[in-house]
């Protein structure tokens, strides 16, 4: 490992020691369950929106068994407006598996975490790292962006994770017990400083060695990056349908759902999708509800 890389690691960890946000899933009192819930919530939703929902979940369901004892629809309702509500179902299913297979305690072994329903390789690595202090490659979008710039001289990483990227991240990961700190530090740098649109290089602890900056910040020359379209999409329709169903404890008649979106074909497609995803339960007499509630 070169002296430059070693000093980059030290600088990022020193920066983190003074700039880290005070987040509840990072405190010494955090539980593995709290870490798992936070990781799933944070996958597609910013911290500011996750934090209040995370607090309310932890208060209501401090242990996996508490959530596992609920109907899935209750978890979906408590998911509120975090978006991509299938994540609530995945957490509910994971809680059930933790109770059934692990006596209600979140397992620490990476393979056991990965075997939980709805837990992918990123989440398993993140929980093993941040809840149990293990050494795993934790490669989220923030980490990928920082390393693409600082180490590879590219403004943005490839669309999907490459083997080379994995090897680079693994090579940078400390072999001692500072591995979790490095992972969370580089993630935080991506979230706060090396942001996608406007990196604040003037405030960056590794500006002096960043390959992309030293190359004059060349613009992205890969395939166009996907935007997060929302207006007029099926996702927007699904969101409106879910908002109606979340907002009541009673089954909702179809005509009330029909009122949320004028284009019938798109609306029916969205509703069918919600039903097949297990997020909405159709009842007799054209009534719909969240599953089980
Ligand atoms: S110098 Fe700028 S581009 Fe490079 S890692 Fe820091 S914030 Fe990102």
């Amino acid at each position: 490992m070169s002296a430059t890389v070693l000093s980059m690691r030290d600088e990022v960890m020193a920066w983190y020691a003074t700039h880290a946000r005070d987040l509840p899933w990072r405190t010494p009192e955090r539980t593995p369950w709290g870490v798992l819930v936070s990781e799933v919530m944070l996958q597609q939703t910013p911290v500011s929106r996750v934090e209040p929902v995370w607090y309310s979940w932890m208060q209501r369901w401090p242990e996996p068994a508490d959530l596992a004892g609920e109907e899935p629809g209750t978890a979906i309702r408590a998911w509120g407006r975090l978006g991509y509500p299938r994540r609530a179902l995945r957490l509910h299913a994971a809680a059930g598996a933790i109770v059934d297979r692990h006596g209600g305690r979140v397992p620490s072994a990476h393979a056991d975490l990965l075997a939980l329903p709805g837990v992918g390789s990123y989440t398993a690595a993140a929980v093993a790292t941040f809840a149990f202090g293990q050494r795993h490659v934790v490669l989220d979008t923030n980490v990928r962006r920082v390393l693409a710039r600082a180490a590879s001289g590219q403004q943005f990483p490839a669309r999907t994770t490459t083997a080379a990227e994995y090897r680079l991240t693994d090579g940078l990961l400390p072999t001692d017990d500072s591995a979790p700190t490095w992972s969370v530090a580089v993630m935080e740098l991506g979230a706060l400083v090396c942001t996608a649109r406007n990196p604040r290089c003037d405030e960056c602890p590794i500006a002096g060695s960043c390959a992309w900056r030293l190359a004059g910040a060349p613009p992205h020359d890969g395939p166009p990056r996907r935007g997060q379209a929302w207006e007029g999409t099926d996702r927007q329709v699904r969101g409106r349908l879910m908002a109606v169903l979340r907002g009541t404890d009673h089954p909702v008649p179809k005509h009330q759902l029909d009122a949320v979106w004028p284009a019938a074909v798109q609306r029916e497609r969205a509703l069918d999708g919600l039903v097949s995803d297990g997020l909405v339960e159709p009842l007799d007499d054209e009534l719909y509800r969240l599953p089980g509630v």
Side-chain angles (χ1 to χ4, degrees):
M1 178 94 20
S2 75
T4 312
V5 169
L6 287 175
S7 92
M8 181 178 97
R9 257 187 358 204
D10 289 347
E11 283 153 2
V12 171
M13 287 196 281
W15 170 87
Y16 180 75
T18 52
H19 291 81
R21 286 169 294 180
D22 192 12
L23 299 175
W25 45 85
R26 291 182 185 163
T27 64
E29 298 77 38
R30 70 189 182 281
T31 63
W33 171 236
V35 173
L36 172 58
V37 172
S38 76
E39 286 298 337
V40 173
M41 288 183 171
L42 288 165
Q43 272 162 26
Q44 282 147 315
T45 311
V47 163
S48 57
R49 284 170 54 206
V50 164
E51 215 171 348
V53 180
W54 183 89
Y55 271 119
S56 80
W57 272 54
M58 287 299 104
Q59 202 165 28
R60 190 166 178 185
W61 301 308
E63 300 290 340
D66 302 317
L67 177 62
E70 299 275 13
E71 291 291 346
T74 304
I76 296 168
R77 179 167 288 132
W79 194 253
R81 297 172 56 81
L82 291 183
Y84 297 101
R86 267 178 287 184
R87 293 180 291 166
L89 280 183
R90 297 211 308 261
L91 270 173
H92 182 267
I98 290 167
V99 170
D100 292 344
R101 301 176 199 164
H102 303 286
R105 296 169 69 89
V106 175
S108 60
H110 183 269
D112 289 340
L113 287 162
L114 196 55
L116 294 174
V119 171
S121 57
Y122 167 78
T123 307
V127 173
T129 299
F130 301 133
F132 297 108
Q134 298 169 16
R135 183 186 184 278
H136 294 280
V137 170
V138 181
L139 205 46
D140 80 341
T141 52
N142 286 318
V143 175
R144 296 185 68 216
R145 188 172 56 252
V146 173
L147 297 185
R149 292 174 181 171
S152 306
Q154 306 288 328
Q155 186 179 18
F156 295 112
R159 275 193 180 167
T160 51
T161 308
T162 63
E165 223 179 332
Y166 188 90
R167 278 196 302 275
L168 170 70
T169 314
D170 191 33
L172 282 166
L173 196 60
T175 50
D176 61 15
D177 59 8
S178 67
T181 306
W182 157 252
S183 292
V184 73
V186 69
M187 201 178 272
E188 191 79 334
L189 189 69
L192 299 182
V193 176
C194 193
T195 55
R197 290 204 187 136
N198 298 305
R200 296 208 283 274
C201 303
D202 293 347
E203 300 169 28
C204 180
I206 52 172
S209 59
C210 170
W212 183 65
R213 188 165 186 261
L214 293 175
H220 179 64
D221 63 357
R225 301 179 67 240
R226 275 187 304 239
Q228 286 280 334
W230 169 253
E231 283 298 323
T233 61
D234 284 9
R235 276 190 61 222
Q236 186 182 20
V237 187
R238 285 166 63 104
R240 288 197 182 176
L241 293 168
M242 290 301 290
V244 173
L245 291 155
R246 271 200 320 268
T248 173
D249 292 336
H250 305 291
V252 174
K254 177 78 167 26
H255 67 80
Q256 209 174 317
L257 295 174
D258 288 346
V260 305
W261 196 259
V265 171
Q266 190 182 20
R267 190 182 64 232
E268 293 302 322
R269 185 171 65 225
L271 183 57
D272 286 349
L274 290 170
V275 170
S276 66
D277 286 345
L279 289 162
V280 172
E281 184 181 3
L283 304 172
D284 291 340
D285 302 323
E286 296 231 297
L287 292 170
Y288 292 83
R289 67 175 184 178
L290 298 181
V293 294

